[in-house]
Structure formats: structure tokens, C-alpha cells
Amino acid sequence: MSKTEFVSPEGFRIDGRRPSEIRTFRCQVGGVSQNADGSAYVEMGCTKALAYVYGPKEARRGAMKTQCGVLTCEVSLAPFSTADRRKRSRYDRQTVELALTIRQAFESSILLELYQRAQIDMFVHILETDGGHKAAAINACNLALIDAGINIRDSLVACSAGYIDGRPIVDMNQAEINAGGVELLLGVFARTRKVSVIEMDSKITPEVFQETYEACIAACRDLYTAMETAVNDTALRLVHSK
Amino acid sequence: MEVDEQRVPEDEQDKDFPQLLPLVTPGERIGHVSAYRAGAGVYERRGHLYASKVGEKLIEQDDSNQLPVVSVETAGLSGSPSVPFTGATVLAQVTRISPRRVDCIILSVEGRPIRDTSNPYKGIIRLQDVRPFEIDQIDMLECFRPTDIVKAKVVSLGDSRSFHLSTAEQDLGVVFAKSTSGHPLVALKWNEMECSKTKEREPRKVAKPSD
């Protein structure tokens, strides 16, 4: 396979996946932190993310709203997580933007009207990035919220997809992202399929978008199946150990 | 009551996302408003009821002629943290006493401890909420003392600073207190407690012990 070829004539990608195949998905619901009210760890291939949820607790003065709860999110990208090792400040543009995306996504997921005058804090740590760390962060937050027992409308599942060599590929790794093609980030509610997060910077035709979007939805479904199984396994184990 | 599945629009429930295991998960449809009322961990949208937590589905029928209540019992993941709500029974510790009100911090809500103690929920018991009778004769210092543990009900979310609590019921009031000599007090009657060591008597608004 030549270096510029991202899908071989046999239909395999650089890391041996099919175009519609997601990377190995591993997750742990709860038990990541002693202090947090909910926590989760998510691995999508080599991309690893941790999420902690604190709350609901008494809202900070000034931020308090009387009609619904307040949601905050903070993301940190570990210095060793990227190929070029560098420390990022708390106000790094990239992480602040991701935190905002996550917060807005979950504001539509959490039943915030149940948490009047309370505050829910989400903290995400990206431990390793190999493409798709935004999706991993969203998935980790979703599992941590479930673990914390916070009322949510539906599971929010996120995945990325691209379009290379005339076909969509899902859950791209860093090598595929570096190719500089299309990158679509999609966060959907698992059951209603309603889109909560959508992010894409490139200009593409509606046909290409449609194809990429559908591939991404299918990948979200695969991720959801894996996440749901993990949640159920954890819950069943805890019920039995009672 | 049979739920008409045909009424659900195509996009509402996706058949590609199947139900995997016996527990319900957030977003899972668990009934129709014509068959059930929504309880804890359940929300209603377009006539259907959906789970908003992971857990076991419970259906309870009370004595009234109303529809049974469907709720989701959290399956003990890290558990749901507690926030005081109107009508909740809380345990609170008295921090400050003034002639018109008692300030306290809330320690637990409906038997669930508040884990984050760095920024506690504050509560106040106003003079008129101490007991239901002879309100004009209440002396706050004969009802509570700082450090007492009080069982109270949340009457309202109060102002932006604190929840309004009430002890105006028989089984509400001081449940644990220490005497001036530092030993635990034992309840004697509704307005008096006795030191377990010195037998000294002190006035309190005592909660009637349950059975």
C-alpha cells in the first residue's frame, strides 16, 4: 500500500479496519474516582478520555439560576497526550472551545429543570489523542452522568467521520485526520437520533455530506451498543453485589 | 392497558437501537401516559414516558383511583447525589441562633448524606415554623442550641441563600444534642431532654422518636 492510499483496493484502511468499522471501544462506568459523584473512562482505539461529574450541589453564587440547574464543563488536554509535547493553559483556545461544545450538548441532554438552584460540574481529562478526542470526551461525559444518576433525556453518543478516496470512513485516527480531508463530528441522542452536536469545517457537496452523515450515524449506533452493554453490565453487577 | 404502538411516529423510537438487557437505561420508553403516571427517574414527552436514569422499572398502584405510578429505581451506580426539595425530610445541624430564626446546614436529604461538605446547603427555621401552636410564646433558646442535629422538612426553596425548613410536626425537631456538660441528651418529653450522665434537664423542641 502506498503512503497516500487511505483505503486499499481490498477495502482496508491503514490500521486494518473497514471504512465503516469503529476502533476498539472500551469503557469503564464508575469507579474511576473516589471523590466524584460519577466518573467514567473511555478508550476509542488509542484515544483515551476520563470524565468526572460532581453534583448536583449548591450552585455557586452569581451562577445560580432559580428556574433550572447550572452546568459547567472544564476540559484539560494532558501535556503528554499529543505528538508534540506541550503544556496547555487552562484558557487554551482548543480546550475552552471543546468545553463549550460539551456543555451546550449536555444542556439539552440533562433534565436541568429538576436541578433548580443546583450546579453540576463536569471535568474531562484527555489522556491520549489519536484523533476523535472530542467524541471520546462526549462519550465519557455521558457515561459519567449516567454513573452519577443524573436525570438525562437520552444517551448522547458522539463519533467522527471523514470522507477520503470517494467514500466515508468513520472514527478516524490521527493519521487519517492528517490527510486533511473532511472531518465531521456528530453527537446524537441514541434513541431519537436527534442531533445535539455537529461540527465540520470543510466545504463539501450535500451528497458527500449525506453519505458521511449516514456513516457517522451508523458508527454512533455501534458505539451506543457498546456503551449500553457496559452500563447494563455495571448496573447488574452492582445490583447483584448489594 | 394496552399501548397503541402505531401512534408513535417513525422517527421517535429507532428499531436499530434495541433493548439489550432487563434494566432500563436513559431514553428508553417505558409506557404511555394513558397507562401510567410518571414518578422519579421518568419523564414525559409527546405522550410517552421515558426513563431518565439507569435502574429497575417499578410500577406502584396506590389506593386512589388514579393511574399507577411508574418510576425508575437507581441501580446503585455511584448513586444519585442529593439535593433538598420541597417536602423532603432532612437532617440539619444548627449553626446559629437568633430570636427570630435558626440557621443550620443540611447534612442529609431523605437519608442520603450530602457528600460535598465544602459548600453546604444552608437552611433556616423561622420562628413560625418551629412548632404549630403557641407560636408567640416560643423562645428559640428553649428549642434549639448550636450543634444540635435537627430533623426537619423542607417547606420551600426559600431565598437565594437558604432553604426554609420546618419542625412544626410531632416527629420533627431535635434528634440528637449534647448537654452543657458535653454528654448526649436523651428525650424525655416533647419539650425536654435529659443528660445521660448528669441527669440535668434541658429544654428542646424534641422530635418524637419513631416506634
Side-chain angles (χ1 to χ4, degrees):
Chain A
M1 194 194 287
S2 78
K3 238 188 164 180
T4 51
E5 200 173 44
F6 286 95
V7 182
S8 73
E10 295 81 24
F12 291 105
R13 287 152 68 178
I14 321 171
D15 53 7
R17 281 184 288 155
R18 293 277 185 192
S20 62
E21 203 178 333
I22 56 169
R23 291 176 286 182
T24 314
F25 181 83
R26 280 202 206 97
C27 63
Q28 188 187 329
V29 188
V32 182
S33 156
Q34 293 281 315
N35 299 325
D37 293 308
S39 55
Y41 169 71
V42 158
E43 249 184 66
M44 290 164 82
C46 288
T47 302
K48 301 180 175 82
L50 274 171
Y52 304 116
V53 168
Y54 292 82
K57 57 188 181 185
E58 176 99 16
R60 201 166 40 80
R61 287 272 165 80
M64 191 189 281
K65 294 186 213 161
T66 43
Q67 295 308 309
C68 67
V70 176
L71 185 66
T72 69
C73 181
E74 221 169 88
V75 176
S76 77
L77 212 57
F80 47 81
S81 64
T82 40
D84 55 326
R85 187 188 184 93
R86 79 181 165 101
K87 227 178 168 160
R88 285 159 209 272
S89 80
R90 254 183 78 195
Y91 306 104
D92 182 72
R93 190 190 60 82
Q94 201 188 343
T95 53
V96 168
E97 193 186 306
L98 176 55
L100 186 70
T101 309
I102 294 175
R103 205 194 76 207
Q104 286 173 345
F106 283 99
E107 272 174 352
S108 60
S109 156
I110 300 171
L111 293 158
L112 277 173
E113 60 272 22
L114 294 179
Y115 301 104
Q116 289 167 14
R117 298 156 50 110
Q119 176 175 343
I120 299 166
D121 295 328
M122 300 192 291
F123 295 92
V124 184
H125 298 283
I126 312 286
L127 304 181
E128 198 177 332
T129 65
D130 184 30
H133 69 269
K134 293 180 180 178
I138 292 171
N139 292 334
C141 280
N142 183 51
L143 292 176
L145 285 170
I146 291 178
D147 181 44
I150 287 167
N151 288 287
I152 55 174
R153 288 191 174 83
D154 202 349
S155 265
L156 185 58
V157 195
C159 192
S160 66
Y163 195 85
I164 297 184
D165 297 341
R167 61 165 102 199
I169 56 171
V170 300
D171 199 10
M172 294 194 290
N173 62 27
Q174 195 61 49
E176 288 163 336
I177 290 170
N178 289 346
V182 178
E183 193 188 357
L184 169 75
L185 172 72
L186 197 64
V188 290
F189 288 113
R191 282 165 211 276
T192 51
R193 269 202 194 182
K194 289 208 166 112
V195 175
S196 175
V197 184
I198 190 158
E199 208 177 277
M200 195 181 58
D201 296 330
S202 2
K203 279 184 184 171
I204 51 172
T205 62
E207 293 75 36
V208 170
F209 175 78
Q210 187 66 27
E211 224 179 307
T212 317
Y213 174 83
E214 269 158 22
C216 208
I217 288 273
C220 285
R221 199 168 53 216
D222 293 346
L223 279 171
Y224 172 70
T225 313
M227 275 162 66
E228 200 74 338
T229 314
V231 167
N232 266 304
D233 284 352
T234 314
L236 280 175
R237 204 170 61 239
L238 285 160
V239 168
H240 290 315
S241 67
K242 253 186 196 168
Chain B
M1 193 176 205
E2 273 300 305
V3 176
D4 187 8
E5 293 289 329
Q6 292 303 310
R7 271 188 294 185
V8 188
E10 201 67 62
D11 65 334
E12 279 296 282
Q13 193 81 5
D14 198 330
K15 292 198 171 49
D16 294 334
F17 292 109
Q19 184 185 343
L20 296 166
L21 286 161
L23 291 166
V24 296
T25 43
E28 194 164 318
R29 194 160 71 211
I30 51 178
H32 193 266
V33 280
S34 60
Y36 304 107
R37 279 183 293 156
V42 179
Y43 70 94
E44 185 205 319
R45 201 168 66 91
R46 295 205 198 165
H48 286 282
L49 299 172
Y50 299 87
S52 62
K53 284 182 177 184
V54 179
E56 289 169 275
K57 179 172 139 184
L58 290 179
I59 296 168
E60 281 163 301
Q61 174 76 65
D62 48 17
D63 302 328
S64 66
N65 279 331
Q66 287 170 303
L67 296 167
V69 174
V70 63
S71 58
V72 174
E73 180 96 327
T74 308
L77 295 175
S78 290
S80 64
S82 26
V83 184
F85 53 92
T86 309
T89 308
V90 299
L91 284 181
Q93 185 164 39
V94 176
T95 52
R96 211 175 84 99
I97 296 189
S98 62
R100 296 192 150 270
R101 55 184 263 186
V102 176
D103 291 17
C104 39
I105 54 171
I106 296 171
L107 305 174
S108 81
V109 180
E110 295 278 320
R112 286 181 182 201
I114 288 172
R115 262 181 284 175
D116 180 28
T117 47
S118 60
N119 187 12
Y121 291 109
K122 289 179 193 133
I124 55 169
I125 307 170
R126 294 170 302 173
L127 188 71
Q128 63 265 39
D129 291 327
V130 170
R131 63 179 191 217
F133 54 91
E134 291 173 355
I135 290 166
D136 46 348
Q137 287 169 33
I138 299 173
D139 179 358
M140 276 299 193
L141 285 169
E142 289 190 353
C143 295
F144 306 103
R145 291 281 162 151
T147 75
D148 284 4
I149 308 287
V150 177
K151 189 175 164 191
K153 271 216 169 93
V154 181
V155 282
S156 83
L157 300 182
D159 53 30
S160 64
R161 283 184 213 97
S162 39
F163 292 90
H164 285 176
L165 308 179
S166 164
T167 57
E169 266 171 55
Q170 258 195 350
D171 59 338
L172 301 177
V174 176
V175 287
F176 178 82
K178 280 185 173 170
S179 68
T180 41
S181 55
H183 302 288
L185 287 165
V186 181
L188 275 187
K189 48 185 191 180
W190 74 270
N191 62 353
E192 213 165 28
M193 292 180 107
E194 186 184 62
C195 177
S196 54
K197 190 103 172 188
T198 64
K199 304 298 172 196
E200 181 189 5
R201 290 187 178 187
E202 288 188 25
R204 288 288 197 285
K205 194 309 184 178
V206 185
K208 187 182 177 185
S210 51
D211 54 59

